[in-house]
């Protein structure tokens, strides 16, 4: 018995001695400004309260995203009305409570950070309301997924682009999809979501936002590159995903993120 215990002890020591610490040396670069300027006008509200978030890119193994504080942010409307976004804490969050949303108006963003000026321009885009939701409980290839269809009617004889968000706050789930009306112009169509983990009683919030064609192309590329089915998570991205924000002071130090303005329709649905 003592001999067996000794052999086991020696084996554990040997296995422990075979563990090597591997240091991964990753290339680092100067942090870039990330502009999250998604101004959404939820149907049925004034749209006056809006926020813009600024952060910085960080090394791969850094847990926290560093905020970009101390910036000056303004949004200027087509009538030259200026909306100032004021930082409320040191979290890189800037707010205004007097924004005036007007469908079809063009707005210009200006961000001054670290003595560099960033700009972007976008038009506030309308959206068709979500009319109703259908649920199917035996969806997917294996029949074990809950399928959700959020129906809306696309306006006729005009190009439209949509961003759909499917949100389950209790499970920290958010899924994004983008659509265009190239083959569905003027028809009733739906945004689609499927999940095998949906349970009876889950509260699903569905949001549909009108977006520009350029914003559609941006999200389309971004979603393709973050698709869980692509394979190796360390695959090299096939394209650099740049938004519509420009560094006017130094073009080579381009920012990440996007400035968009959307009318948004929201529908809350309880899974059956």
């Amino acid at each position: 018995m003592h001999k067996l215990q000794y052999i086991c002890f020696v084996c554990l020591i040997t296995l422990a001695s075979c563990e090597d610490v591997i240091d991964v040396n990753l290339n680092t670069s100067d942090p870039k400004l990330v502009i999250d300027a998604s101004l959404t006008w939820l149907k049925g509200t004034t749209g006056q309260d809006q926020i813009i978030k600024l952060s910085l890119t960080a090394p791969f193994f850094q847990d926290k995203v560093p905020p970009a504080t101390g910036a000056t942010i303004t949004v200027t409307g087509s009538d030259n009305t200026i909306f100032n976004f004021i930082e409320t804490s040191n979290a890189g969050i800037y707010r205004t409570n007097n924004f005036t949303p007007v469908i079809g108006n063009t707005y210009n963003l200006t961000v001054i950070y670290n003595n560099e000026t960033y700009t972007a321009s976008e038009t506030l885009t309308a959206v068709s309301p979500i009319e109703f939701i259908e649920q199917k409980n035996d969806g997917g290839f294996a029949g074990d997924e809950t399928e959700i269809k959020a129906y809306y009617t696309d306006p006729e004889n005009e190009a439209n682009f949509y961003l759909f968000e499917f949100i389950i706050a209790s499970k920290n789930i958010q899924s994004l999809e983008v659509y265009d009306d190239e083959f569905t112009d003027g028809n009733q169509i739906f945004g689609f979501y499927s999940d095998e983990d949906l349970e009876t009683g889950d509260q699903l919030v569905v949001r549909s936002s009108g977006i520009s064609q350029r914003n559609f192309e941006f999200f389309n590329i971004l979603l393709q590159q973050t698709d869980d089915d692509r394979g190796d998570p360390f695959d090299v991205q096939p394209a650099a995903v740049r938004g519509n924000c420009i560094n006017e002071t130094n073009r080579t130090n381009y920012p990440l993120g996007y400035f968009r303005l959307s009318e948004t329709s929201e529908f809350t649905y309880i899974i059956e």
Side-chain angles (χ1 to χ4, degrees), residues 180-201:
D180 64 47
D181 65 349
E182 181 179 1
F183 302 109
T184 59
D185 181 64
N187 294 310
Q188 187 179 70
I189 191 62
F190 55 84
F192 180 80
Y193 175 64
S194 180
D195 193 331
E196 62 181 10
D197 295 324
L198 288 177
E199 299 177 345
T200 300

Side-chain angles (χ1 to χ4, degrees), residues 258-272:
Y258 206 96
F259 173 54
R260 72 176 175 94
L261 300 102
S262 301
E263 184 185 30
T264 298
S265 175
E266 182 176 282
F267 197 110
T268 300
Y269 179 79
I270 305 300
I271 301 299
E272 299 174 351

Side-chain angles (χ1 to χ4, degrees), residues 159-211:
N160 294 283
F161 304 87
Y162 303 89
L163 169 66
F164 266 82
E165 302 171 77
F166 299 89
I167 304 166
I168 305 177
S170 62
K171 296 182 176 179
N172 197 29
I173 294 175
Q174 182 176 19
S175 177
L176 304 180
E177 296 289 343
V178 289
Y179 303 94
D180 64 47
D181 65 349
E182 181 179 1
F183 302 109
T184 59
D185 181 64
N187 294 310
Q188 187 179 70
I189 191 62
F190 55 84
F192 180 80
Y193 175 64
S194 180
D195 193 331
E196 62 181 10
D197 295 324
L198 288 177
E199 299 177 345
T200 300
D202 283 346
Q203 179 175 287
L204 173 67
V205 176
V206 183
R207 292 177 185 159
S208 174
S209 298
I211 58 176

Side-chain angles (χ1 to χ4, degrees), residues 85-143:
F85 284 72
I86 307 301
E87 189 173 14
T88 55
S89 64
N90 289 324
I93 299 176
Y94 302 77
R95 302 178 183 272
T96 188
N97 59 6
N98 66 344
F99 185 71
T100 305
V102 179
I103 297 294
N105 272 14
T106 298
Y107 295 81
N108 297 301
L109 170 71
T110 301
V111 176
I112 302 175
Y113 177 73
N114 273 0
N115 298 318
E116 295 187 335
T117 300
Y118 302 82
T119 64
S121 180
E122 188 63 285
T123 300
L124 178 55
T125 307
V127 74
S128 299
I130 299 172
E131 299 165 6
F132 63 95
I133 286 179
E134 286 185 350
Q135 176 180 337
K136 180 181 179 182
N137 292 327
D138 57 352
F141 291 109

Side-chain angles (χ1 to χ4, degrees), residues 6-7 22 61 63 78 80 155 166 187 231 239 248 252 260-261:
Y6 175 77
I7 293 174
I22 301 176
F61 290 111
D63 294 332
S78 298
N80 292 323
F166 299 89
N187 294 310
E248 301 286 358
T252 60
R260 72 176 175 94
L261 300 102

Side-chain angles (χ1 to χ4, degrees), residues 61-81:
F61 290 111
Q62 182 169 317
D63 294 332
K64 295 183 178 180
V65 177
T69 62
T72 300
I73 302 178
T74 59
V75 173
T76 305
S78 298
D79 60 355
N80 292 323
T81 301

